[in-house]
């Protein structure tokens, strides 16, 4: 039986009270100090809730209060629900209406339910009472992900699954009290759990970057080099962005890369830049990571073997095991299986099913992923089948976007497809909207008010009627062809007034033209609305540094038009 995370943390706080547990922008905190603050906040939460409260929604800035409040929830054995402060208000409203939640925030107010502040909780003059709740929850946390019905769905992750995960990765990483782990992952991304739980259960130190820092690959790279952490974890998308900012010859110590498919090119780059490299794989529904593969050869992209107390099978359409090398659907079983989807028994029954393998019936999670086992017994990921897609590490359900699009007056239909962009080695979301008299600006503003930032399509195209197949389904193949055509259309020479021709002759325009079609761009157009992706913005910034060495990456995101950016460049 694995010890619960909070029991491990408590034991270290007792035996190593002066050991440094946490480093943030404004504070360095020992285990004893963090334990004291967490229990103080836990007492404050106890004063705000009764036994009918089903969870604590956390929308907090990335500082010591965030970690202390998460620990408080672990102490109370009540699930926490992490929400990124960048989340759209409408999505937070939706979450808060799903259950009786306590809402704690120092980052975002909400009309649906008043927020309780950390300051309020710390003012409570009471002691933490460990056994005050009538029933302890099996859930450690509840993650709201993009939902197939258009609404976010909540995955209920268990304490047992979390305990198994940290037991495995603590051993795999040989994590020691003198080691550090730098955290740059959004709190709403399930891999964030590993970033605080492994070090705090092993006596190590968590370095938490700020909300501002994690939004810039340039700033993340600076902090990685400043701290040189023992362990750093990120998605392939983030690694692609920050590698260009690292000094020549600088190397990571230990790297975990996962959340998206690892390309041979990135595998090679990380292998050359790391003392130790591990590719990891797993859906939210099986507690962060379910496989791990230590890479010993550049270009290796395999996802590895199951972690402890985990079983994985590749099955064919008859749910029989596939032979080595034969592609099939990946199913996962074991301690990491989530408890299901909150308040959604139908979806839980369809995704968490039973299969009979080797004469034994097992409860499994159907990943929708296609892969195979090679002749060495190592699992390989091929592609995701139907349903959701991964964009920059985020899980995206196209129906969540189309549902939002079709609430716009004048929109009669819509479709969203992923499109691979070879120039940026990234996936773009392309939105097609069937409408009349609705502008792209109106559509984009509507989506920004309703959806999380990562769900906004990179390109939006309008048309009078969507294409359909003979069977009456939207023709995805035709939309893909149309998307390529739209993105590669020859420019119309007369599309811009003469004064805009200055963009093409300006050094900024010449560099920008490598990534977007500047012949169709006015000086006030938003780069990102014209198709620049976040990954391309990083490449654009790296190219700009030769001419403007003091330009910061965040300035491109804050001033994403030719006029605004060039005005800023005149000041630096």
């Amino acid at each position: 039986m694995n010890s619960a995370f909070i029991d491990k943390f408590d034991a270290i706080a007792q035996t190593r009270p002066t050991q440094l547990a946490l480093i943030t922008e404004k504070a360095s905190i020992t285990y004893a100090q963090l334990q004291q603050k967490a229990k103080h906040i836990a007492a404050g939460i106890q004063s705000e809730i009764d036994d009918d409260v089903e969870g604590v929604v956390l929308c907090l800035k990335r500082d010591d209060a965030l970690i202390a409040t998460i620990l408080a929830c672990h102490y109370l054995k009540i699930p926490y629900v992490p929400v990124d402060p960048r989340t759209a208000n409408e999505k937070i409203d939706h979450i808060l209406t799903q259950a009786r939640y306590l809402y704690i925030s120092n980052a975002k107010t909400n009309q649906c339910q008043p927020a309780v502040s950390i300051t309020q909780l710390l003012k409570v003059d009471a002691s933490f009472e460990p056994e005050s709740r009538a029933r302890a929850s099996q859930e450690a946390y509840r993650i709201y992900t993009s939902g197939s019905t258009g609404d976010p769905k909540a995955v209920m992750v268990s304490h047992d699954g979390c305990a198994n995960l940290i037991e495995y990765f603590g051993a795999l990483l040989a994590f020691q009290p003198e080691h550090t782990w730098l955290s740059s992952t959004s709190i709403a991304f399930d891999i964030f759990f590993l970033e605080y739980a492994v070090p705090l259960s092993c006596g190590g130190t968590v370095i938490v970057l700020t909300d501002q820092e994690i939004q810039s690959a340039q700033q993340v790279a600076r902090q990685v080099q400043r701290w040189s952490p023992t362990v750093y974890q990120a998605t392939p998308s983030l690694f692609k962005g920050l590698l260009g900012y690292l000094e020549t010859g600088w190397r990571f110590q230990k790297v975990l890369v996962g959340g998206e498919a690892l390309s041979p090119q990135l595998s090679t780059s990380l292998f050359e830049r790391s003392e130790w490299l591990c590719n990891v794989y797993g859906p939210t529904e099986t507690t962060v990571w379910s496989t791990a593969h230590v890479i010993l050869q550049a270009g290796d992209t395999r996802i590895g073997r199951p972690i402890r107390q985990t079983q994985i099978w590749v099955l064919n359409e008859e749910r029989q095991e596939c032979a080595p090398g034969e592609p099939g659907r990946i199913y996962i079983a074991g301690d990491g299986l989530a408890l299901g989807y909150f308040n959604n028994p139908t979806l839980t029954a369809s995704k968490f099913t039973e299969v009979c393998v080797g004469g034994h019936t097992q409860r499994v999670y159907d990943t929708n992923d296609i892969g195979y086992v090679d002749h060495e017994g190592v699992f390989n990921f091929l592609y995701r089948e139907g349903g959701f897609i991964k964009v920059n590490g985020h899980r995206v359900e196209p129906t969540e976007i189309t549902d939002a699009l079709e609430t716009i007056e004048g929109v009669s239909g819509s479709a969203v497809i992923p499109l691979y962009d070879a120039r940026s080695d990234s996936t773009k979301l392309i939105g097609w909207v069937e409408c009349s008299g609705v502008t792209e600006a109106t559509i984009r503003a509507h989506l920004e008010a309703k959806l999380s930032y990562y769900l906004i399509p990179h390109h939006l195209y309008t048309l009078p009627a969507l294409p359909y197949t003979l069977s009456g389904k939207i023709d995805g193949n035709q939309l893909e062809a149309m998307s390529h055509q739209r993105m590669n259309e020859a420019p119309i020479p007369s599309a811009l007034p003469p004064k805009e021709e200055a963009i093409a002759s300006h050094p900024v325009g010449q560099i920008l033209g490598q990534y977007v079609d500047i012949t169709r761009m006015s000086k006030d157009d938003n780069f990102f609305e014209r198709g620049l992706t976040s990954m391309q913005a990083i490449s654009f910034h790296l190219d700009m540094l030769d001419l403007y060495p003091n330009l910061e990456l965040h300035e491109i995101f804050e001033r994403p038009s030719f006029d605004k950016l060039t005005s800023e460049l005149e000041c630096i």
Side-chain angles (χ1 to χ4, degrees), residues 437-459:
V438 184
T439 66
E440 179 188 333
T442 298
I443 296 169
R444 195 170 288 277
H446 181 85
L447 294 182
E448 288 172 352
K450 277 184 165 289
L451 302 175
S452 297
Y453 64 97
Y454 57 85
L455 294 173
I456 311 298
H458 300 99
H459 293 279

Side-chain angles (χ1 to χ4, degrees), residues 313 333 353-364:
W313 297 278
T353 61
E354 289 189 344
V355 298
C356 184
V357 182
H360 300 284
T361 299
Q362 298 266 6
R363 179 176 179 259
V364 299

Side-chain angles (χ1 to χ4, degrees), residues 3 52 81 116 208 223 256 293 317 425 441 443 459:
S3 298
D52 291 330
V81 184
V116 176
V208 180
Q223 296 304 318
L256 294 178
H293 181 60
E317 291 182 358
D425 188 22
I443 296 169
H459 293 279

Side-chain angles (χ1 to χ4, degrees), residues 270-303:
L270 287 174
F271 184 78
E272 294 169 350
R273 285 278 201 163
S274 309
E275 301 295 335
W276 183 92
L277 174 63
C278 183
N279 189 23
V280 282
Y281 161 86
T284 301
E285 288 84 350
T286 60
T287 313
V288 190
W289 305 130
S290 298
T291 70
H293 181 60
V294 178
I295 292 176
L296 301 177
Q297 183 175 350
D300 192 349
T301 63
R302 294 178 292 177
I303 59 175

Side-chain angles (χ1 to χ4, degrees), residues 469-503:
T469 64
L470 294 176
S471 61
K473 297 180 179 180
I474 291 177
D475 192 335
N477 290 332
Q478 189 172 343
L479 285 180
E480 183 174 339
M482 290 164 59
S483 299
H484 282 297
Q485 182 180 355
R486 282 287 190 98
M487 293 169 66
N488 297 314
E489 279 179 343
I492 301 172
S494 59
L496 297 175
K499 66 177 182 178
E500 308 298 0
E501 294 177 2
I503 297 177

Side-chain angles (χ1 to χ4, degrees), residues 37-62:
K37 187 166 187 175
K39 288 186 175 181
H40 197 164
I41 291 173
I45 293 174
Q46 283 178 324
S47 72
E48 294 282 344
I49 64 174
D50 55 36
D51 285 334
D52 291 330
V53 171
E54 298 183 63
V56 180
V57 175
L58 305 180
C59 184
L60 296 168
K61 298 173 185 175
R62 295 173 62 86

Side-chain angles (χ1 to χ4, degrees), residues 403-412 438 442-444 446-447:
D403 282 356
L405 285 168
E406 289 165 24
T407 63
I408 302 172
E409 186 175 353
V411 172
S412 52
V438 184
T442 298
I443 296 169
R444 195 170 288 277
H446 181 85
L447 294 182

